Amino acid sequence: MIKIEIPEPNLVITKKQPDQSSSVISNDYGFVDYHKIPRDKGGLILFLDADENLMFVGKARKLRQRVKKHFEDNVSPIKKYRDDVYKIAIILVEDAMEREIYETYIINTLHAEYNIDKVFYK
């Protein structure tokens, strides 16, 4: 048996709510801390709702660019649920094979709601 432990996130960014004195914070669904996501690092992206439910897990060779694409693309699996994303957790994993293994493991262990590929628990 192979034992896999899900790594703790290296970074978590949370949606900011606009206060009464300011107008809209950002056109990126309330996330203003994209600059904290490494530009040229690979890893995993976990999208969570306000109740800490895992919505979607993805992987990327370049994290910041991929996270932003999920909020811009018309083909993103979370396109209908972008407003529900409250937290984005980033786990740095440089090795492509490890990213693949962790992504599949997290999808099936934590039952990511909107991942349809790599699902073995249904």
Side-chain angles (χ1 to χ4, degrees), residues 2-40:
I2 298 172
K3 180 151 175 68
I4 300 172
E5 291 187 28
I6 301 171
E8 288 294 317
N10 298 88
L11 172 69
V12 176
I13 60 174
T14 305
K15 182 183 282 192
K16 304 284 188 219
Q17 299 298 326
D19 60 26
Q20 264 113 20
S21 63
S22 69
S23 59
V24 176
I25 287 181
S26 168
N27 61 355
D28 292 329
Y29 296 88
F31 292 96
V32 295
D33 293 330
Y34 286 121
H35 66 281
K36 293 181 179 179
I37 300 171
R39 181 179 305 238
D40 55 353

Side-chain angles (χ1 to χ4, degrees), residues 37-75:
I37 300 171
R39 181 179 305 238
D40 55 353
K41 299 275 185 189
L44 300 164
I45 308 155
L46 286 70
F47 294 95
L48 299 111
D49 65 16
D51 295 325
E52 299 281 327
N53 297 314
L54 182 61
M55 299 173 65
F56 184 78
V57 179
K59 64 182 181 310
R61 285 182 308 142
K62 296 185 178 187
L63 285 164
R64 185 185 311 177
Q65 158 182 337
R66 188 67 188 115
V67 169
K68 289 188 109 174
K69 282 263 189 213
H70 275 292
F71 289 99
E72 297 167 354
D73 273 357
N74 289 329
V75 295

